[in-house]
Amino acid sequence: MTTHAAQLINGEWIAGQGASFSSVNPANNDVIWSANAATAEQVDGAVKAAREAFYSWSDMSFEARLEIVKRFAEVLKENSEELAIAIAKETGKPLWETRTEAGAMVGKIAISEKAYQERTGVVENPMPVGRAVIRHKAHGVVAVFGPYNFPGHLPNGHIVPALLAGNTVIFKPSELTPYVAELTLKYWQQAGLPAGVINLVQGEVETGKALASHAGIDGLFFTGSSRTGHLLHEQYAGQPGKILALEMGGNNPLIVKDVADTKAAVHDIIQSAFISSGQRCTCARKLFLPAGEQGDTILEQLIKATKAIKVGNFDDADQPFMGSMISNAAAAGMVKAQQQLVELGGESLIELTHTEGTGFVTPGIIECTNIADFPDEEHFGPLLKIFRYTDFDAAIEKANETSFGLSAGLLGDNEADYDRFLRRIRAGIVNWNRPITGASSAAPFGGIGASGNHRASAYYAADYCAYPVASVELEKVTLPSSLSPGLSLD
Ligand SMILES: NC(=O)c1ccc[n+]([C@@H]2O[C@H](COP(=O)([O-])OP(=O)(O)OC[C@H]3O[C@@H](n4cnc5c(N)ncnc54)[C@H](O)[C@@H]3O)[C@@H](O)[C@H]2O)c1
Ligand SMILES: O=CCC[C@H](NC(=O)CCC(=O)O)C(=O)O
């Protein structure tokens, strides 16, 4: 047992009483965090603390809650470099990228304030007698589950709107990024968030299961794999009264058609497929290139540029485009996925290679046009599958051959093609001549099919953080000027 007080329950940091676990820098396996997990009893204590804090927090005015949340933004700004380094160390992502993640966390506060007012503000309308008022109320105690790939930004995208709406929170971060979670919660404490309003339970799946199954939560906001999301969806079947927001994976297509600037197209393909070492839910997984000369040219340029991608440590003076993946296991999983595709008939055009014992991989490109039953699986890493096509509509239909529906893109100079693509492609994020990664926080962010449960996050996160209350109101009990037929009050 370690004495590391890694659990935040009712404003107190306490040591977990469960199994020990640790977090390592995936580039060099240095242990950067170690503690004991929260037990089910400790999870229960966190839920109770959140419940006890709920009325005082939700009774505060929105303005008073917003003041504390804005102080959190200030603390984030003051500590942004510390946070960026922590994210880089724990995920392997390069500093240039984790600095943008820390910045996105700061930007989330102003966007969430605007979204709260526009999506769940108070609307009053006059009536012949009295007034009609629409308000929104917090659900109560909510659990937030975070993924490892954006350990600061994506949980933040649930926590900030949840708190602004008046909910209290129990946060269960990925067991792969506990250090970032601990830092973030310490920033919330520095901002003056009252005890119990946000609680942190660190642990592996057992801790997650204890929280997800706790009867005392009113909702669960999840970002993570479709596998886990589907387990949670099944778990919540029969509990329609609990709000469940699932932000899950993707198997995202990118189609190229009639581009004049092939170099620019290659840039957008690389930004879509290999940023964050392919560890973004929105990363392009399937690239559809036209058969013939243009497709050949783009593929040739893409292979050349991909081979030139710099892979390195998060803090290299000459910053890499790709850092390490989250873990040696994740990297090995990408090699296995590549092997499976080759066994199915794929042709490796650039082999994804793995520096065994670390999270480092080089990006891979694999020709998959002739694979008969192409597996509809999210390979969460830098492996881009190529499909050659002759008919644009057929390419769109093949791109739609997935249970997912998160992001999709067209690189092409004809607006009519984009109009057709936009009308037919099934995805929640659809881009034209821009990378399909790097979505705006000022827009809804969510997918269809296996990518979500129709509770888009980012700008629409406010929608699942509160429920509407419609009222008709009159200052005093007043007799109407005329009674309904058949009534006598004398
Ligand atoms: N749609 C989005 O906004 C979005 C954003 C980022 C990542 N993702 C997806 O997330 C995945 C990568 O993240 P990950 O590997 O951390 O996801 P994951 O599903 O493994 O874990 C997510 C969270 O759920 C917890 N968890 C895992 N199994 C659980 C269980 N059985 N019961 C309760 N809790 C459980 C984990 O501890 C973690 O906190 C990818 O599939 C990616 O596409 C989606
Ligand atoms: O890894 C998944 C997506 C990461 C990122 N998306 C967002 O940041 C959505 C906006 C938000 O949630 O504020 C991307 O598209 O790269």
Side-chain angles (χ1 to χ4, degrees):
M1 291 285 240
T2 70
T3 57
H4 178 183
Q7 317 293 339
L8 179 63
I9 298 174
N10 201 23
E12 298 295 324
W13 290 96
I14 61 171
Q17 292 156 8
S20 65
F21 71 110
S22 57
S23 163
V24 300
N25 176 336
N28 58 21
N29 295 304
D30 286 352
V31 175
I32 51 178
W33 186 97
S34 187
N36 291 83
T39 60
E41 292 71 23
Q42 290 178 306
V43 167
D44 182 58
V47 173
K48 287 188 167 75
R51 180 63 63 190
E52 284 159 19
F54 173 63
Y55 275 140
S56 56
W57 179 246
S58 56
D59 285 351
M60 286 170 71
S61 67
F62 170 73
E63 291 69 25
R65 293 197 297 269
L66 177 63
E67 190 179 331
I68 294 173
V69 173
K70 282 184 173 178
R71 281 210 298 271
F72 172 67
E74 289 309 309
V75 173
L76 280 176
K77 283 180 201 166
E78 291 158 13
N79 296 280
S80 63
E81 190 63 4
E82 176 188 51
L83 181 57
I85 291 169
I87 297 171
K89 274 186 177 174
E90 202 157 42
T91 63
K93 296 195 289 188
L95 256 181
W96 68 265
E97 192 182 344
T98 61
R99 285 174 178 140
T100 65
E101 179 170 352
M105 292 177 72
V106 174
K108 183 65 70 174
I109 279 83
I111 287 170
S112 299
E113 176 191 1
K114 184 169 182 287
Y116 175 90
Q117 298 293 11
E118 290 181 356
R119 309 288 296 178
T120 58
V122 178
V123 176
E124 195 169 314
N125 291 301
M127 292 181 72
V129 178
R131 60 177 178 272
V133 186
I134 302 168
R135 299 180 180 88
H136 295 78
K137 291 179 68 176
H139 293 288
V141 171
V142 297
V144 169
F145 284 69
Y148 69 75
N149 67 324
F150 278 87
H153 166 49
L154 289 169
N156 194 54
H158 293 307
I159 291 168
V160 168
L163 294 176
L164 281 177
N167 300 283
T168 51
V169 173
I170 304 98
F171 174 33
K172 160 67 180 79
S174 169
E175 55 275 26
L176 300 175
T177 52
Y179 175 46
V180 170
E182 183 172 317
L183 265 187
T184 306
L185 271 285
K186 286 181 173 169
Y187 298 155
W188 275 112
Q189 279 194 311
Q190 287 174 42
L193 201 62
V197 172
I198 191 168
N199 303 270
L200 173 66
V201 288
Q202 300 262 35
E204 298 175 308
V205 173
E206 190 178 341
T207 302
K209 287 180 176 177
L211 179 57
S213 61
H214 198 289
I217 62 175
D218 300 305
L220 191 156
F221 306 155
F222 169 85
T223 298
S225 67
S226 289
R227 175 191 170 280
T228 306
H230 280 71
L231 289 174
L232 294 171
H233 194 263
E234 288 165 12
Q235 192 176 333
Y236 278 64
Q239 300 183 75
K242 292 198 175 188
I243 182 83
L244 182 64
L246 300 173
E247 316 303 333
M248 300 185 284
N251 193 5
N252 312 308
L254 184 58
I255 299 181
V256 179
K257 182 176 186 294
D258 297 336
V259 295
D261 189 339
T262 55
K263 188 175 180 181
V266 167
H267 169 270
D268 289 354
I269 293 166
I270 287 178
Q271 284 288 346
S272 299
F274 300 134
I275 195 168
S276 308
S277 294
Q279 298 170 115
R280 292 195 185 195
C281 55
T282 46
C283 275
R285 307 299 179 195
K286 297 175 284 190
L287 177 65
F288 293 83
L289 291 173
E293 185 180 348
Q294 178 166 97
D296 293 347
T297 302
I298 289 171
L299 185 55
E300 183 183 338
Q301 291 175 353
L302 174 63
I303 288 171
K304 182 181 176 189
T306 302
K307 285 179 176 176
I309 287 175
K310 185 177 188 295
V311 179
N313 289 302
F314 78 88
D315 56 354
D316 284 347
D318 177 17
Q319 281 278 279
F321 178 71
M322 281 175 35
S324 162
M325 289 185 70
I326 188 66
S327 67
N328 178 60
M334 292 312 299
V335 172
K336 185 178 176 185
Q338 178 176 249
Q339 286 166 343
Q340 288 170 340
L341 290 170
V342 168
E343 287 162 10
L344 288 171
E347 178 195 352
S348 183
L349 303 179
I350 302 179
E351 185 185 1
L352 180 150
T353 63
H354 173 207
T355 306
E356 290 189 23
T358 76
F360 284 113
V361 297
T362 58
I365 297 177
I366 184 164
E367 163 57 63
C368 293
T369 308
N370 297 319
I371 293 181
D373 297 321
F374 184 78
D376 183 25
E377 297 169 17
E378 178 188 53
H379 297 136
F380 203 58
L383 182 62
L384 182 62
K385 297 96 177 184
I386 304 294
F387 297 86
R388 305 303 294 267
Y389 72 90
T390 54
D391 176 81
F392 184 48
D393 282 351
I396 296 173
E397 288 318 304
K398 188 159 180 69
N400 278 332
E401 287 176 7
T402 173
S403 62
F404 297 93
L406 188 56
S407 70
L410 173 69
L411 299 178
D413 296 341
N414 301 321
E415 189 163 8
D417 289 336
Y418 178 57
D419 176 62
R420 192 172 187 84
F421 176 76
L422 182 60
R423 282 187 281 110
R424 279 171 167 66
I425 199 71
R426 287 182 51 75
I429 295 108
V430 180
N431 288 353
W432 182 31
N433 293 335
R434 298 294 294 139
I436 60 173
T437 52
S440 165
S441 298
F445 186 79
I448 56 173
S451 296
N453 66 330
H454 299 286
R455 298 203 186 282
S457 190
Y459 194 69
Y460 282 8
D463 297 18
Y464 57 72
C465 290
Y467 64 89
V469 178
S471 305
V472 287
E473 301 170 348
L474 194 56
E475 270 67 25
K476 288 191 298 182
V477 178
T478 307
L479 197 62
S481 55
S482 61
L483 299 184
S484 302
L487 276 186
S488 167
L489 299 177
D490 298 328

